[in-house]
């Protein structure tokens, strides 16, 4: 069984960890893992150059979460992290006080940057870094090209998405999101193949605008999802009219989409009507959205979608796969 997931950082990583736990139960291998092949196509629109190193927040969150090294409380970054380097940088009057680069995390960025500088594409570098973490999935960046999400503010100024998100907490109104570098970007090696050969494609509860939306914007990826032979199922990141964590509501508002489970589904659209999804799992508190979506032709169900721990998340993955008849 082949599963392909389009993922952002924390939401996508936590979901994938639950999916792997489910698959390890249903389709176990001899080593405590699963015989299923899971490919994760990660958003790299949040990537940036900082202090001369390449930071890939969503790839790293996936790698640390699935590899057992994540700071659980934060959901991103390394467990047992320290900040001696950034503190010392600050003593020189340098550094970005709004963006934390932990010491252990910095090692990842240094390693990545060294390999990139040696001429390796990001997909190969990611494979190399992931070989240490053994995330149990094939981890692919959406593209080898640098595509960076920027936010256009009301005065027309463009700032990097991370500056808007982390420094300004998404409180400065955004006019739109611009993917700098998009025109020259192509899907990374393996991405289109993973969509064409999947038995099921999953859109986890990641940010629909700046995580999944950015992946779909890479020329060729939206069409590959639309044309995938396998069913495509999504899980709502919006519960009861609000994102579970983060500020996805500010992103949805910027693109004119209401922050509700039903509106996010309609924003993605049904594949039968040119969209990217066949099925949509909403939280049980949004059960009243189910009849309307079902009338429109959606395969839709309501269940608890709070990823409170790994077993609860495995149950969410099971509900999602069952919705498209792919629960092993
Ligand atoms: P990021 O790149 O770190 O922002 O992570 P993602 O884009 O992968 O996921 C962010 C989204 O995950 C947010 O919009 C949250 O609403 C959603 N999310 C986080 N935790 C949960 C959860 O427990 N359940 C659901 N349904 N969504 C969640
Ligand atoms: Ca992200």
């Amino acid at each position: 069984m082949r599963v392909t997931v389009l993922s952002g950082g924390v939401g996508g990583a936590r979901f994938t960890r639950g999916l792997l736990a489910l698959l390890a139960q249903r389709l176990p291998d001899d080593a405590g893992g699963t015989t299923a092949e899971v490919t994760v196509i990660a958003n790299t629109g949040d990537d940036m150059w900082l202090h001369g190193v390449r930071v890939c927040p969503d790839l790293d969150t996936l790698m640390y979460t699935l590899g057992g090294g994540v700071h659980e409380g934060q959901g991103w970054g390394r467990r047992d992290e320290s900040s001696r380097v950034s503190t010392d940088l600050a003593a020189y009057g340098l550094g970005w006080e709004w963006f934390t680069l932990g010491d252990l995390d910095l090692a990842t960025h240094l390693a990545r940057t060294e390999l990139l500088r040696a001429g390796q594409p990001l997909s190969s570098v990611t494979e190399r870094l992931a070989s240490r973490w053994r995330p149990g999935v094939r981890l692919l960046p959406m593209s080898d090209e640098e595509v960076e999400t920027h936010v256009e503010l009301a005065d027309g100024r463009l700032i990097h998405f991370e500056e808007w998100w982390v420094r300004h907490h998404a409180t400065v109104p955004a006019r739109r999101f611009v993917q700098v570098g998009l025109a020259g970007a192509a899907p990374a090696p393996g991405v289109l193949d993973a969509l064409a050969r999947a038995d099921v494609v999953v859109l986890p509860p990641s940010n629909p605008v700046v995580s999944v939306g950015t992946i779909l914007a890479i020329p060729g990826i939206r069409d590959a999802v639309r044309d995938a032979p396998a069913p495509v199922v999504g899980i709502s990141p919006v519960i009861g009219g609000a994102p579970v964590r983060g500020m996805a509501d500010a992103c949805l508002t910027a693109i004119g989409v209401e922050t509700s489970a039903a509106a996010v589904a309609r924003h993605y659209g049904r594949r039968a009507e040119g969209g990217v999804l066949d099925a949509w799992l909403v939280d049980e508190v949004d059960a009243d959205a189910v009849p309307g979506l079902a009338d429109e032709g959606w395969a839709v169900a309501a269940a608890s979608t709070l990823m409170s721990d790994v077993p609860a998340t495995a149950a969410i993955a099971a509900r999602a796969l069952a919705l498209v008849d792919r629960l092993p």
Side-chain angles (χ1 to χ4, degrees):
M1 171 152 173
R2 297 196 183 93
V3 186
T4 298
V5 182
L6 270 56
S7 176
V10 178
R14 287 201 171 150
F15 175 82
T16 305
R17 185 166 60 176
L19 172 71
L20 286 173
L22 170 75
L23 294 171
Q25 277 168 21
R26 301 280 179 141
L27 301 170
D29 66 9
D30 300 336
T34 174
T35 57
E37 289 172 25
V38 180
T39 302
V40 176
I41 301 169
N43 170 46
T44 53
D46 302 355
D47 296 8
M48 58 183 171
W49 287 100
L50 209 56
H51 303 302
V53 296
R54 190 67 176 164
V55 181
C56 301
D58 290 359
L59 278 173
D60 290 344
T61 296
L62 281 156
M63 205 163 65
Y64 299 156
T65 302
L66 302 177
V70 79
H71 186 300
E72 285 293 339
Q74 270 171 192
W76 52 271
R78 294 283 298 274
R79 150 155 42 90
D80 301 324
E81 184 59 290
S82 52
S83 55
R84 298 191 67 198
V85 174
S86 55
T87 303
D88 219 54
L89 269 172
Y92 288 107
L94 294 170
W96 294 22
E97 58 196 31
W98 55 270
F99 199 87
T100 317
L101 283 185
D103 297 333
L104 299 175
D105 200 26
L106 201 49
T108 303
H109 310 320
L110 285 170
R112 172 184 295 122
T113 304
E114 177 174 343
L115 297 168
L116 287 171
R117 291 269 188 242
Q120 290 192 34
L122 181 62
S123 50
S124 306
V125 174
T126 300
E127 191 180 347
R128 168 80 185 270
L129 299 182
S131 69
R132 167 187 171 194
W133 289 96
R134 300 177 181 279
V137 302
R138 184 162 180 229
L139 185 56
L140 301 176
M142 63 186 190
S143 176
D144 274 337
E145 281 77 43
E146 288 183 10
V147 176
E148 294 187 359
T149 303
H150 281 61
V151 182
E152 189 181 301
L153 305 180
D155 59 7
R157 208 156 42 95
L158 278 185
I159 60 172
H160 193 288
F161 169 73
E162 291 288 352
E163 184 171 0
W164 182 71
W165 189 254
V166 179
R167 183 182 197 176
H168 299 298
H169 302 287
T171 52
V172 185
R175 206 192 264 164
R176 62 187 183 117
F177 298 97
V178 182
Q179 281 92 22
V180 179
L182 194 62
V191 166
L192 297 182
D193 201 48
L195 291 166
R197 282 157 34 97
D199 294 303
V200 58
V201 177
V202 185
L203 270 52
S206 283
N207 188 311
V209 184
V210 294
S211 293
V212 179
T214 304
I215 301 172
L216 291 172
I218 297 296
I221 295 190
R222 183 183 295 274
D223 286 344
V225 175
R226 200 178 279 153
D227 299 341
V232 186
V233 56
I235 298 97
S236 178
V238 172
I239 299 183
V244 180
R245 48 182 287 157
M247 297 133 317
D249 47 336
C251 302
L252 287 164
T253 302
I255 63 160
V257 175
E258 181 192 281
T259 304
S260 75
V264 173
R266 293 184 184 115
H267 167 66
Y268 279 132
R270 285 171 60 226
R271 290 205 299 172
E273 294 171 336
V276 294
L277 283 175
D278 303 309
W280 189 237
L281 185 67
V282 303
D283 192 81
E284 56 198 3
V285 308
D286 296 310
D288 57 356
V290 170
L293 289 169
D295 280 349
E296 292 168 25
W298 289 85
V300 55
S304 168
T305 64
L306 213 49
M307 301 187 286
S308 42
D309 56 22
V310 175
T313 309
I316 298 168
R319 280 305 292 263
L321 296 188
L323 206 45
V324 288
D325 223 11
R326 289 294 186 279
L327 180 62

